[in-house]
Amino acid sequence: DAVEVFYRMPFSEDNGHERIELAGDRWMLCPTPTLGTNRPRIGWTERWLPATVTEAPMVGCVGQEPTIQFRWELRQWYDWASGDHIEVTNDPKALIEVVQVSRVRPRSSCWNIPHTPSW
């Protein structure tokens, strides 16, 4: 299913000091490769982004919201500190995530995404 997922970049472990030796979730979606590699890096840290559901909603424990597994459709993810592009990895699960269903909505018609082969 084509959906939109609300993405919020988590605050990194280095508290924004660009300590590249510290691993962390610092991926930021950039509209173009130039904006992801130049300084300052320009991209979105919070917004609704297109994705495709890869696994139906999973029911959690009592009192927990169900979760859903999906794959991000956009490929211009850059590390805001180092400028590394996510496609330098060979990990087929690099663009797969799991979130609560409250952060997922049907995809709007404004996205015109070219078909990209799956990993």
Side-chain angles (χ1 to χ4, degrees):
D1 291 342
V3 296
E4 290 177 358
V5 178
F6 189 77
Y7 174 76
R8 176 173 286 143
M9 187 173 81
F11 198 68
S12 64
E13 295 174 19
D14 62 5
N15 293 323
H17 295 291
E18 298 188 35
R19 292 182 52 202
I20 295 172
E21 74 276 5
L22 287 178
D25 193 4
R26 303 184 301 214
W27 296 108
M28 174 173 67
L29 179 70
C30 299
T32 68
T34 302
L35 293 176
T37 55
N38 284 350
R39 288 193 157 287
R41 298 186 217 300
I42 299 171
W44 296 289
T45 57
E46 291 185 340
R47 86 170 282 171
W48 289 95
L49 296 173
T52 301
V53 174
T54 58
E55 194 171 303
M58 298 169 271
V59 179
C61 297
V62 176
Q64 287 185 332
E65 187 175 0
T67 59
I68 194 163
Q69 181 177 300
F70 64 93
R71 182 184 68 252
W72 294 110
E73 289 295 317
L74 301 175
R75 304 290 176 109
Q76 298 296 331
W77 294 91
Y78 292 87
D79 182 309
W80 67 263
S82 69
D84 289 338
H85 186 246
I86 201 167
E87 287 204 11
V88 300
T89 179
N90 292 324
D91 183 3
K93 295 183 180 183
L95 296 173
I96 303 254
E97 281 197 51
V98 176
V99 297
Q100 296 174 325
V101 294
S102 62
R103 292 179 48 196
V104 178
R105 69 182 186 188
R107 188 179 300 174
S108 65
S109 60
C110 68
W111 291 103
N112 183 15
I113 302 168
H115 176 70
T116 54
S118 63
W119 295 45

